[in-house]
Amino acid sequence: MTNERLRGAMAAANLTKHALAERLQISTKTVERWITQDRRPHPDLRLEVARALDRDETYLWPELLAGSRSAAASLSEFVQIWPTRPEVPHEVWRSLMQQSTGNIDVLVYAGGFLVESLDFVNVVHRKADAGVQIRILLGESDSPEVIARGREEGLPSLPQRCESTLEYLRETMNSPMVDIRTHRTTLYNSIYRFGDSMLINTHSYGAYAAKSPVQHLQKVPGGRLFSYYLDSFEAVWKTGRPVT
């Protein structure tokens, strides 16, 4: 794993590996290992690096903030982040869907891109036939929460998009492995769980979900992020109304 924060801070300070090594009176290879192998300097040298780059050492080495094994494990759960949902490569979505075993859980309002761009209906059919338990939560189209979100995002068609996605997915409900419910909750995050992997699409006032960041999490023993979002899904699931 490379330390991109350190690499970026050096570039911003216009310092090469050789120049930083000279300033700290160490070898260039040592600096190279900090970057390419994510090695961490000892405390005194770490402070010198932070001063030379005009950065806080916890910015350059965020693992210093992990004061417990649980916090460190949670940091390890974090795989990647994309600034917007369309920047998540389709290959990532397809790979996670293909590799998922055991469970697929989806919490959205509409999630139209799943059925329109990612062939999600056929994915659900195949995975259900393979014994994967699939739970899908869609926004209740006439609920005040969905109507308000559409207004706030400047997307008045959101209620209709919720209905459209549901119509796409109705044909999958013949399988006992597929359970679809509608919900009326205020949606703070769209959650896409594929086995032990999860994509979290955060929501911000005034921005479409598609224009909001997406985090990729991987379940790690002792970590808390994956279970935190899964607990949120379960809480919404309890409130959901089965689609008939």
Side-chain angles (χ1 to χ4, degrees):
M1 178 182 249
T2 59
N3 189 331
E4 295 299 337
R5 291 191 180 190
L6 178 57
R7 191 198 302 273
M10 288 170 58
N14 199 27
L15 282 174
T16 64
K17 289 176 283 190
H18 180 70
L20 181 60
E22 278 196 337
R23 181 175 296 194
L24 300 173
Q25 297 183 337
I26 58 175
S27 72
T28 303
K29 286 185 178 180
T30 297
V31 177
E32 174 72 21
R33 284 192 289 268
W34 293 345
I35 297 171
T36 61
Q37 299 178 29
D38 200 18
R39 296 281 185 87
R40 194 165 63 199
H42 61 74
D44 289 343
L45 189 54
R46 197 165 60 230
L47 186 57
E48 288 187 49
V49 175
R51 286 173 178 165
L53 300 178
D54 195 25
R55 292 287 193 277
D56 190 284
E57 60 181 321
T58 56
Y59 169 80
L60 298 172
W61 294 282
E63 63 270 21
L64 295 172
L65 296 171
S68 67
R69 289 185 179 180
S70 177
S74 295
L75 185 62
S76 298
E77 289 180 290
F78 182 80
V79 178
Q80 190 170 355
I81 187 168
W82 293 271
T84 66
R85 195 182 67 206
E87 292 181 74
V88 182
H90 280 192
E91 291 74 17
V92 171
W93 289 99
R94 294 190 179 106
S95 176
L96 294 178
M97 291 176 186
Q98 178 63 32
Q99 294 173 13
S100 59
T101 58
N103 303 88
I104 292 177
D105 296 323
V106 174
L107 168 61
V108 292
Y109 271 154
F113 75 100
L114 289 171
V115 294
E116 294 164 4
S117 302
L118 293 171
D119 196 29
F120 191 58
V121 173
N122 285 328
V123 169
V124 171
H125 279 306
R126 291 196 303 270
K127 286 299 179 178
D129 289 345
V132 175
Q133 183 67 53
I134 301 167
R135 298 182 296 173
I136 301 171
L137 279 160
L138 300 173
E140 200 164 303
S141 60
D142 62 352
S143 68
E145 292 78 10
V146 169
I147 294 170
R149 178 60 60 84
R151 182 176 63 251
E152 293 162 359
E153 293 185 352
L155 190 65
S157 63
L158 183 60
Q160 289 74 37
R161 289 184 62 77
C162 294
E163 286 287 352
S164 175
T165 302
L166 178 56
E167 287 308 307
Y168 273 109
L169 290 167
R170 277 189 184 278
E171 67 176 73
T172 68
M173 295 175 60
N174 293 327
S175 170
M177 303 304 293
V178 179
D179 197 347
I180 302 177
R181 298 184 184 184
T182 58
H183 69 97
R184 304 168 65 94
T185 61
T186 300
L187 195 61
Y188 300 101
N189 302 281
S190 294
I191 298 174
Y192 308 89
R193 184 256 184 115
F194 306 104
D196 287 341
S197 294
M198 188 180 288
L199 296 177
I200 305 297
N201 187 187
T202 60
H203 294 268
S204 298
Y205 185 87
Y208 302 158
K211 293 183 178 180
S212 301
V214 174
Q215 305 172 48
H216 180 189
L217 303 178
Q218 181 72 33
K219 187 176 181 181
V220 172
R224 293 181 292 180
L225 294 177
F226 190 96
S227 59
Y228 169 83
Y229 287 107
L230 185 56
D231 287 347
S232 178
F233 178 93
E234 297 293 353
V236 180
W237 185 255
K238 289 178 182 178
T239 74
R241 300 202 305 179
V243 174
T244 56

